[in-house]
Amino acid sequence: EIVLTQSPATLSLSPGEGATLSCRASQSVNKYLAWYQQKPGQAPRLLIYDASHRAAGIPARFSGSGSGTDFTLTISSLEPEDFAVYYCQQRLNWPLTFGGGTKVEIK
Amino acid sequence: QVQLVESGGGVVQPGRSLRPSCVASGFTFTTYALHWVRQAPGKGLEWVAVISHDGSDKHYADSVRGRFTISRDNSMNTMYLQMNSLRAEDTAVYYCAISIAPTGDAFDIWGQGTMVTVSS
């Protein structure tokens, strides 16, 4: 099983600041990594697939990069609605696996 | 519009069974693989199982293999998760999820979830 490790666990930032979230895989997942946003009481929302492709309707302030074992989700300038938990997920192998999440909270 | 609606959750005693379902609408059901993903209270996401578009191929998380069975009825646009020998650690919100857009197994459509509580 591929283990995904997200860091940091919590990121305390102010609106307007940039955010950089990391996801590291225990073995190469090539480009097959996705990022999700989840708010309390809601289902996750797909942001990025295949490391760098924005899903439909996702604002340009969200971008993804990386390949192999190291990936980054960047939010260029935080909007109030961006404070949430973010998860990465690999789709290279069964079982699919998720990272433990990074909470982006208001400082 | 594309929609997934789960139902069939509830409170069940350890060792007992439950069968939540997921009804789909707004797309050609027989074209897509379907997944279950769960989330324990206050915890992260855990992928549970997948079934191929025609039901011929299935995969499971190690934590549920041998206890859970995923199935689908393409005539009813419905997917099921037969959960046997339930344990306290199976307590979670169970989501069904699919990839409609060409995103591979990255899920762009999710249901609202159904809560399963395993407790005596």
Side-chain angles (χ1 to χ4, degrees), chain A residues 24-96:
Chain A
R24 177 164 289 177
S26 59
Q27 63 189 79
S28 175
V29 298
N30 199 331
K31 65 175 182 176
Y32 301 122
L33 190 102
W35 290 94
Y36 299 85
Q37 176 194 69
Q38 189 180 33
K39 297 178 182 179
Q42 295 184 16
R45 173 193 182 197
L46 178 65
L47 300 174
I48 301 287
Y49 66 96
D50 289 354
S52 61
H53 298 269
R54 266 190 306 277
I58 301 303
R61 64 181 181 273
F62 292 93
S63 63
S65 63
S67 66
T69 61
D70 290 296
F71 299 86
T72 300
L73 174 69
T74 302
I75 310 171
S76 59
S77 177
L78 285 162
E79 298 287 340
E81 61 267 28
D82 298 337
F83 292 91
V85 180
Y86 293 82
Y87 295 96
C88 56
Q89 175 234 324
Q90 65 82 20
R91 68 172 186 92
L92 178 69
N93 284 341
W94 307 114
L96 305 185

Side-chain angles (χ1 to χ4, degrees), chain B residues 9-91:
Chain B
V11 180
V12 62
Q13 292 178 327
R16 303 299 291 265
S17 298
L18 205 60
R19 193 181 78 152
S21 60
C22 171
V23 176
S25 59
F27 63 98
T28 306
F29 187 75
T30 53
T31 301
Y32 298 97
L34 299 164
H35 300 253
W36 288 100
V37 177
R38 70 184 180 181
Q39 187 169 35
K43 302 298 183 181
L45 301 168
E46 180 186 16
W47 176 82
V48 173
V50 60
I51 186 167
S52 61
H53 67 98
D54 61 357
S56 64
D57 196 22
K58 305 172 186 180
H59 297 274
Y60 298 93
D62 290 346
S63 57
V64 307
R65 188 177 293 112
R67 300 188 299 122
F68 290 10
T69 301
I70 191 171
S71 63
R72 64 191 293 163
D73 182 342
N74 283 350
S75 69
M76 299 287 289
N77 282 13
T78 302
M79 173 178 66
Y80 304 97
L81 187 66
Q82 179 67 45
M83 308 164 65
N84 297 334
S85 304
L86 282 162
R87 306 167 180 168
E89 54 265 34
D90 296 318
T91 295

